[in-house]
Amino acid sequence: MAYEITPHDFCLIVKNPKCKGKEINNGTAKEGHPNCDWCKGNYFVGGECNYGGRHKMTDDLRQINQNFRTFDTLVKQQIKLSKSKNEKEFTSSKKNLLNSFKSLKEKCEDECGVGFFYGSCIGLDGDKSIFASRIKETFKRLAKELGYYMNQIENST
């Protein structure tokens, strides 16, 4: 099973910016932030963000972790390919595996950063640009590696 990012892990990676308001556990976006126009709201304490989307970190992490589960799918498909008993089964498994690699590679190459981190506050908050660019560079390297494996599979018989 692929590693899943926990709320604690996420909070260690992303800075919790200060604002004029007060964090309220599981609070709405404006709760504790009546004078804030554009802040993280209660996002880091189980509540809604105040950046406009009113999304919650738990929902964002669920989506991020679902994206990372794609790696588990690749492993399972590789095993299925290896256990193919005939040419038809091999060709079908190979096609499925290549499509999964292609999809994952496209998410890694996504310049907007939404491939893996869609909707999360780290993608919306300008203060996180250093983190976002570091993540994007990591995913570009991963995309290059995925391309290498795709070529290996395409050339397999």
Side-chain angles (χ1 to χ4, degrees), residues 21-86:
K22 179 182 180 214
E23 291 180 322
I24 307 293
N25 286 336
N26 301 314
T28 63
K30 283 291 187 187
E31 199 173 2
H33 303 270
N35 299 320
C36 299
D37 291 326
W38 185 263
C39 75
K40 45 77 182 201
N42 296 304
Y43 184 80
F44 292 100
V45 292
E48 297 174 338
C49 85
N50 193 22
Y51 289 119
R54 295 184 176 263
H55 50 96
K56 295 182 176 186
M57 180 173 50
T58 53
D59 296 333
D60 291 345
L61 287 176
R62 190 176 305 115
Q63 180 62 46
I64 290 167
N65 287 326
Q66 181 179 341
N67 288 333
F68 280 112
R69 281 188 210 104
T70 307
F71 290 98
D72 281 344
T73 302
L74 290 175
V75 171
K76 290 174 186 171
Q77 289 177 335
Q78 175 64 47
I79 291 169
K80 188 175 181 180
L81 178 68
S82 299
K83 292 182 176 183
S84 297
K85 294 180 175 36
N86 58 52

Side-chain angles (χ1 to χ4, degrees), residues 80-81 84 86-99:
K80 188 175 181 180
L81 178 68
S84 297
N86 58 52
E87 186 176 343
K88 183 180 177 184
E89 192 176 324
F90 178 83
T91 302
S92 175
S93 295
K94 180 177 170 178
K95 180 181 176 187
N96 289 337
L97 181 58
L98 284 170
N99 285 338

